[in-house]
Amino acid sequence: MKAFIVFTSLLALGLCAEELCYKDTHRSCNSVSSKLVPGTPNCNAKYGAIDFMQPELQQYANQLLYRSFDFLLMSTYFGNYVKNRPGFEKLYRKYSDNLWNDGIELIKYLDVRGGSMDFKNFPRNLVEEENTGAEAKPKPGPNWDLSEYLSLSKALDLEKDLAGDVFDIHLHADDHTEGHYDAEIAHHMEKEFVDKHRDIVRSLAGYTKDLGEMLDTADASLAVYLFDELLQSGKY
């Protein structure tokens, strides 16, 4: 009886499915060729709307890696002998490392879902930044007088942009139209990114507000020094 049920289930599986791994392997096993892989295109980890969402996930991974270098440049700028702000250097190095790790993890996630990574698939805003040059988006360096206060506001804007991109990906993955909906991608973005960006945005907003109030004193240079000491201590 059990054997009959199993046989019936397999038969139904073969008849009802047009694009299944079982059907591919069955066809390949019955062919004269001994090369099974080319004849089994559906034996992969893809399901849901990964094909629809893959380009956007690739763009976000590239965005994370790119912004990681932005924060690394900011960290290096405040770590030189001229600025000598070890607290700001530590803060931006931490953000840089976090974004780099997030980008690598997202690339691994694409592989888990059966997708692939395209390092040339950049989001439009990064392409526009590169095309418009340094005039539109200056980089930290000798020609960019980046103060501690301005750097916090720049960091806050960058993190808000990244948080907004997560919302866009979640919105598209939660589109309940055929071929677009993917609950697992939406869940993954919530679990790995939403809370993290919320906390970072909150911290940077607090830093910006507190330093702004500290600068509104008779000795602004002392205020910046004390603020950097707080960042360096890791207790703030």
Side-chain angles (χ1 to χ4, degrees):
M1 182 64 180
K2 290 183 178 179
F4 175 75
I5 294 175
V6 172
F7 174 78
T8 304
S9 299
L10 291 176
L11 181 61
L13 181 63
L15 292 175
C16 297
E18 294 296 330
E19 297 181 356
L20 288 181
C21 179
Y22 172 79
K23 195 168 185 177
D24 285 348
T25 55
H26 185 271
R27 181 174 57 250
S28 296
C29 288
N30 291 331
S31 69
V32 293
S33 174
S34 61
K35 297 181 180 180
L36 298 181
V37 175
T40 56
N42 295 297
C43 293
N44 54 52
K46 291 184 177 181
Y47 65 96
I50 183 61
D51 285 333
F52 171 71
M53 294 299 303
Q54 178 174 272
E56 196 166 0
L57 293 173
Q58 292 171 343
Q59 290 181 359
Y60 192 63
N62 281 322
Q63 176 102 313
L64 291 170
L65 298 179
Y66 187 96
R67 295 310 182 194
S68 171
F69 282 104
D70 273 349
F71 279 109
L72 182 61
L73 287 171
M74 293 170 69
S75 173
T76 304
Y77 178 70
F78 286 105
N80 62 34
Y81 74 95
V82 178
K83 298 298 291 186
N84 192 27
R85 297 296 185 196
F88 281 88
E89 177 189 13
K90 179 181 178 181
L91 178 69
Y92 295 138
R93 176 60 66 92
K94 179 180 71 173
Y95 289 154
S96 175
D97 291 344
N98 287 342
L99 291 176
W100 179 265
N101 292 333
D102 287 345
I104 297 300
E105 287 303 314
L106 188 54
I107 293 172
K108 292 179 179 179
Y109 173 74
L110 273 167
D111 181 68
V112 169
R113 288 297 308 270
S116 60
M117 181 59 192
D118 182 2
F119 290 99
K120 296 181 180 180
N121 185 13
F122 286 96
R124 180 179 299 179
N125 63 315
L126 293 187
V127 175
E128 291 175 350
E129 287 178 12
E130 291 298 320
N131 290 339
T132 52
E135 182 178 353
K137 183 177 182 295
K139 300 291 184 182
N143 298 323
W144 187 19
D145 187 13
L146 184 67
S147 70
E148 294 80 1
Y149 187 50
L150 287 176
S151 74
L152 289 174
S153 64
K154 169 60 81 174
L156 178 59
D157 289 341
L158 291 177
E159 284 291 344
K160 282 186 176 181
D161 286 343
L162 291 172
D165 289 340
V166 172
F167 288 171
D168 290 340
I169 294 174
H170 186 281
L171 177 65
H172 297 155
D174 202 34
D175 181 2
H176 287 213
T177 57
E178 185 178 358
H180 293 183
Y181 178 65
D182 197 308
E184 201 280 328
I185 291 179
H187 170 72
H188 182 81
M189 300 307 291
E190 286 184 10
K191 178 183 176 183
E192 299 296 330
F193 295 102
V194 173
D195 292 350
K196 184 181 298 184
H197 285 306
R198 176 203 62 200
D199 294 340
I200 294 175
V201 168
R202 171 62 184 86
S203 295
L204 285 170
Y207 294 157
T208 305
K209 180 178 182 298
D210 291 346
L211 182 56
E213 292 178 350
M214 293 173 67
L215 289 174
D216 190 20
T217 60
D219 195 346
S221 59
L222 177 60
V224 173
Y225 173 80
L226 293 175
F227 189 86
D228 186 76
E229 288 287 303
L230 287 172
L231 292 178
Q232 190 177 0
S233 69
K235 298 178 181 179
Y236 176 52

